[in-house]
Amino acid sequence: MPRPLNKPELKYPPSRAVRVKNVTIGGGSPVTVQTMWKKPLEAIDDALLAGIGALRAAGCDILRFAAPTLREAELLGELQSRLDFPLVADVHFDHRIALECLRRGVPKLRINPGNIGPAWKVREVLEAAKGAGAAVRVGVNAGSLRPALRREPDTVKAMLASAEEELDLLEKFAFSDTVFSFKSSSVETTVAVNRAFRKSHDHPLHVGVTEAGPLVPGLVKNSAALYALLSEGIGDTVRVSLSDEPRIEVEAGREILRAAGLSKRGVNLVSCPACGRSEFPVREFCERLAPRLAAFGKDVTVAVMGCPVNGPGEAAHADLGITGAGDRALIFKKGAIIRRELIEGALEAFLEELEKL
């Protein structure tokens, strides 16, 4: 009998654990979801804090910011002091920025030791990270390998060689709180390089497809790669890179973990595609409902269906569902209709019943 799709069979033992503030990556801990703030960090204001709050409500565990100057390092330190979950500073080329982030309490850096500069600069950063109890993510991207490795026709081999160079530096300075990522715009390459690295190393892996594109192609590529890896026990934290809002990346990451059987966090929203029978505005209702579900912590299934044919019948498994008949919305629980409301007031009525679950 084939194994259920929602119960991945782990092929690898857990990776080593790396602590990032109050979150553990690897070590058998739940797979975390992260995203990146997509605007320059210029000030800590109400809009920024509200945006971060919305990401947290959607299920973001770790949030990364670009830190191209010392000013961003200062702001990141101040921002981290106001938040109860970890931030990551994305630093390239200037080791002073990395040192300032660490001095100000940022608990994780995303760097490439190879582009920080000479060995003494790498040593300073790693010693500061060790002293601060901070973690480091080493990012190996197919599109930014050093010139000699870019000439290697086998991209997977080139990425692994780059990782070994970075590992040599980390081991030279006895630094072990490291997460690795191997990013490519190719699903095949992403899966192959992560599998190959995991066979030889137990460092936690940050997984995802980079430069995946806008919403539809980006979701397809990330879903294909992440499901394949997560189902084999590869991947300790995920980012679904999209040319879209960070909240969408977080929601997509959560849904991929749910599909892989690795998370039951939050509401499982299902809906029909709608057709000529539809008597209920499925798409519009889902667009209004989804943001209201983000902070609902219960593990329940909610169904939004277009007509009575696929409403209480086909969605009888749902803890709560809604469909339409004429000018009325039918709210049902486990297939049994419990409430009828005018469609105009259906959302609030549905949310009232949801709170009762």
Side-chain angles (χ1 to χ4, degrees):
M1 180 181 294
R3 65 180 176 87
L5 288 178
N6 64 343
K7 292 185 179 179
E9 183 179 300
L10 301 185
K11 294 186 177 181
Y12 298 92
S15 58
R16 70 176 70 173
V18 171
R19 189 77 174 168
V20 185
K21 194 174 170 60
N22 55 354
V23 171
T24 300
I25 300 175
S29 297
V31 179
T32 56
V33 173
Q34 55 182 282
T35 187
M36 188 169 186
W37 194 256
K38 301 196 177 185
K39 299 176 182 178
L41 180 59
E42 297 174 336
I44 299 174
D45 53 22
D46 291 343
L48 173 67
L49 295 173
I52 292 173
L55 292 176
R56 285 290 281 158
C60 180
D61 299 305
I62 300 169
L63 180 58
R64 179 161 51 112
F65 285 82
T69 72
L70 288 170
R71 175 58 177 160
E72 282 88 353
E74 296 169 3
L75 288 170
L76 272 177
E78 181 183 347
L79 181 59
Q80 181 66 86
S81 70
R82 301 191 188 190
L83 301 174
D84 63 352
F85 77 111
L87 302 180
V88 181
D90 195 297
V91 180
H92 294 273
F93 308 118
D94 192 338
H95 85 298
R96 296 171 302 167
I97 300 171
L99 292 174
E100 187 66 15
C101 288
L102 294 168
R103 190 177 74 81
R104 292 179 177 269
V106 178
K108 186 181 177 188
L109 300 175
R110 189 280 192 192
I111 63 171
N112 286 350
N115 75 18
I116 287 295
W120 67 268
K121 291 183 178 180
V122 177
R123 184 184 66 248
E124 283 193 6
V125 171
L126 296 180
E127 287 179 350
K130 189 183 297 185
V136 169
R137 172 163 76 93
V138 174
V140 179
N141 282 21
S144 58
L145 298 171
R146 62 183 180 83
L149 290 175
R150 284 202 297 270
R151 292 192 290 270
E152 164 61 54
D154 186 333
T155 303
V156 171
K157 183 177 178 181
M159 294 176 75
L160 291 171
S162 178
E164 292 297 337
E165 291 176 359
E166 306 291 9
L167 276 168
D168 286 344
L169 277 173
L170 294 166
E171 291 172 1
K172 179 179 179 180
F173 300 118
F175 188 85
S176 60
D177 287 334
T178 314
V179 178
F180 270 79
S181 67
F182 295 88
K183 298 290 190 76
S184 168
S185 58
S186 160
V187 171
E188 182 180 9
T189 298
T190 298
V191 172
V193 70
N194 278 282
R195 281 175 174 162
F197 184 82
R198 192 68 178 87
K199 287 178 181 177
S200 303
H201 302 284
D202 68 348
H203 295 275
L205 283 168
H206 166 129
V207 291
V209 177
T210 193
E211 299 157 6
L215 185 61
V216 173
L219 281 178
V220 170
K221 293 172 189 173
N222 274 284
S223 297
L226 291 177
Y227 187 85
L229 291 170
L230 293 169
S231 295
E232 297 174 14
I234 300 173
D236 304 283
T237 185
V238 304
R239 184 204 173 182
V240 179
S241 298
L242 300 170
S243 301
D244 211 305
E245 294 298 316
R247 179 182 59 82
I248 301 298
E249 293 189 352
V250 173
E251 291 175 357
R254 285 284 160 208
E255 289 301 321
I256 291 171
L257 291 185
R258 181 186 291 276
L262 297 175
S263 175
K264 293 184 177 180
R265 179 172 174 171
V267 176
N268 179 28
L269 175 60
V270 299
S271 62
C272 76
C275 67
R277 292 193 308 267
S278 295
E279 299 182 59
F280 190 73
V282 173
R283 178 179 174 183
E284 294 85 348
F285 192 84
C286 285
E287 288 176 349
R288 296 171 62 203
L289 176 64
R292 305 287 290 271
L293 298 179
F296 192 79
K298 297 180 182 178
D299 174 23
V300 296
T301 295
V302 166
V304 180
M305 311 302 280
C307 70
V309 172
N310 57 12
E314 292 184 16
H317 65 286
D319 297 290
L320 192 69
I322 190 167
T323 188
D327 65 348
R328 297 280 171 169
L330 310 180
I331 300 175
F332 55 91
K333 184 185 294 185
K334 294 294 186 182
I337 296 172
I338 60 170
R339 191 164 171 176
R340 300 171 188 267
E341 296 285 340
L342 289 172
I343 288 180
E344 290 75 11
L347 179 62
E348 294 306 319
F350 190 78
L351 291 170
E352 287 177 10
E353 296 301 326
L354 187 61
E355 290 295 333
K356 296 177 185 178
L357 294 179

